[in-house]
Amino acid sequence: MVRFLKKGKVVILLKGRHAGRKAVIVESYDNGNAKRSYGHCLVVGIDRYPLKLTSTMSKREIYKRSSMKPFIKTVNNSHILPTRYAFEGELPKALDSTAPRDPVRRKKLNRQVKQVFQQQHAQGKQKWFFSKLRF
């Protein structure tokens, strides 16, 4: 079978509290592992998208409205919808399958992921990834 859920692929989550949110695959386990016997992926995504900006806003207001909230989650392959897009930014190397279980480590990684996402957003790259799905 062809592996199409590769690292860096942008997906849309279909189930759970992050349903309808865009995410990026960090690791893919097509055949499962000892903990989860089904195919699953470790993803990072955007829980709260940045808001629209105008030229009349102050620097403080621009900073607040361009902030976003990321998440790290392990998701079943049947609960994601792959897109044709790939994320071009460099995600932290410390992201692995144990990241979502350790709360201290997850919080630190969330901050690092947030910085990567905000840099990409500030540079104006991949605008489609940082816009909310309208459906």
Side-chain angles (χ1 to χ4, degrees), residues 10-106:
V10 176
V11 296
I12 298 170
L13 301 183
L14 302 174
K15 299 269 187 178
R17 75 186 281 187
H18 300 296
R21 304 284 188 211
K22 295 173 192 165
V24 180
I25 295 177
V26 177
E27 279 188 40
S28 179
Y29 303 96
D30 290 335
N31 299 325
N33 58 16
K35 198 100 168 143
R36 292 178 166 87
S37 60
Y38 50 87
H40 60 280
C41 296
L42 177 69
V43 298
V44 294
I46 302 176
D47 191 16
R48 187 173 51 236
Y49 289 95
L51 300 172
K52 187 178 177 184
L53 304 174
T54 63
S55 59
T56 58
M57 291 180 182
S58 66
K59 286 185 179 182
R60 181 172 182 242
E61 197 171 7
I62 288 172
Y63 176 76
K64 285 189 82 166
R65 290 178 68 92
S66 62
S67 69
M68 57 192 83
K69 181 182 177 186
F71 65 86
I72 301 171
K73 189 173 178 76
T74 304
V75 184
N76 190 333
N77 284 353
S78 63
H79 297 163
I80 58 177
L81 176 71
T83 64
R84 64 181 178 169
Y85 300 107
F87 187 73
E88 296 169 7
E90 190 66 33
L91 293 169
K93 302 281 186 214
L95 282 167
D96 61 0
S97 59
T98 60
R101 286 187 293 227
D102 183 21
V104 175
R105 191 161 164 232
R106 183 176 60 231

Side-chain angles (χ1 to χ4, degrees), residues 1-13:
M1 192 170 144
V2 178
R3 283 190 65 203
F4 61 93
L5 295 174
K6 295 180 182 173
K7 183 178 182 176
K9 179 76 113 173
V10 176
V11 296
I12 298 170
L13 301 183

